[in-house]
Amino acid sequence: MFSFLTRQRKPSSAQTAKERLQILLAHERSSGAKSPDFLPLLQRDILEVVRRHMDIDSDAVDIKLERSDDLSSLEINIELPSVKVEKARTL
Amino acid sequence: MFSFLTRQRKPSSAQTAKERLQILLAHERSSGAKSPDFLPLLQRDILEVVRRHMDIDSDAVDIKLERSDDLSSLEINIELPSVKVEKARTL
């Protein structure tokens, strides 16, 4: 299902601190439907939502959009350098 | 990648009007990382964001969360009865 589930996941020491978030969006239109593609709008809003929960460097976001007549899919891969956990903060 | 990409997609006439949105989220923690699982929080916020763009019946949302030591994944499947398109409205 997720491409990286099937990869060898033996991180080197340099990668050990990295965490990743992958977001996949797919919009399947019924045949012949002329509804617009709203995934790019969702992408913007979802990234905004993710930023509420953690620090994201814009360089760390990789986005791929694919379109066909009745399916649009959007893949967002984010490297997470540090996780911002509001509830667990000691402040 | 997406399970429904590989399915036979020949909708019956009753299904023709249906559209679907699938959102998959995966959070891969580095081995041994103790960072918390924030996907349930993201789930709530992402659904709120999706509702800004379209009408969603709460019955039409199907959510699956899976967790292991270093990977959490969340699958949100939404049936879209009608697409709300703000920019294309004639009002």
Side-chain angles (χ1 to χ4, degrees):
Chain A
M1 186 166 74
F2 296 106
S3 57
F4 63 73
L5 289 181
T6 53
R7 280 186 211 153
Q8 287 282 342
R9 289 194 293 110
K10 292 185 181 174
S12 71
S13 58
Q15 293 173 318
T16 303
K18 299 281 188 197
E19 299 196 6
R20 296 198 297 164
L21 178 66
Q22 185 176 48
I23 302 173
L24 305 174
L25 295 161
H27 175 210
E28 187 184 31
R29 291 178 294 277
S30 51
S31 316
K34 299 289 185 194
S35 63
D37 189 357
F38 54 82
L39 295 190
L41 297 172
L42 264 187
Q43 168 196 316
R44 183 198 58 196
D45 292 348
I46 287 176
L47 281 174
E48 188 185 307
V49 153
V50 172
R51 285 200 167 91
R52 282 188 218 155
H53 295 285
M54 64 196 67
D55 297 317
I56 304 176
D57 191 344
S58 50
D59 292 346
V61 179
D62 177 50
I63 295 169
K64 288 172 202 145
L65 178 63
E66 289 181 14
R67 286 183 173 133
S68 68
D69 283 350
D70 56 0
L71 186 82
S72 295
S73 69
L74 181 69
E75 179 177 343
I76 306 173
N77 284 290
I78 306 171
E79 285 210 354
L80 307 175
S82 66
V83 178
K84 188 195 290 178
V85 188
E86 284 153 34
K87 287 183 182 172
R89 274 190 179 166
T90 52
L91 294 177
Chain B
M1 186 168 73
F2 298 106
S3 57
F4 61 73
L5 288 180
T6 53
R7 280 187 211 152
Q8 287 281 343
R9 291 194 293 110
K10 292 185 180 173
S12 71
S13 58
Q15 294 173 318
T16 304
K18 298 280 188 197
E19 300 197 7
R20 296 197 297 162
L21 177 66
Q22 184 176 49
I23 302 173
L24 305 174
L25 293 160
H27 176 207
E28 185 184 33
R29 291 178 293 277
S30 50
S31 319
K34 299 290 184 191
S35 63
D37 188 0
F38 55 87
L39 294 189
L41 297 171
L42 267 186
Q43 170 194 316
R44 182 200 57 197
D45 294 347
I46 286 176
L47 282 174
E48 188 186 307
V49 152
V50 172
R51 285 198 166 92
R52 280 189 221 155
H53 295 284
M54 63 196 68
D55 297 317
I56 304 176
D57 192 343
S58 50
D59 292 346
V61 179
D62 177 49
I63 295 171
K64 288 172 202 146
L65 178 63
E66 290 181 16
R67 285 183 174 132
S68 69
D69 282 350
D70 56 0
L71 186 82
S72 295
S73 68
L74 180 70
E75 180 176 344
I76 306 174
N77 285 290
I78 306 171
E79 285 208 354
L80 307 176
S82 65
V83 177
K84 188 194 289 180
V85 189
E86 284 153 31
K87 287 185 180 170
R89 274 188 178 164
T90 52
L91 295 177

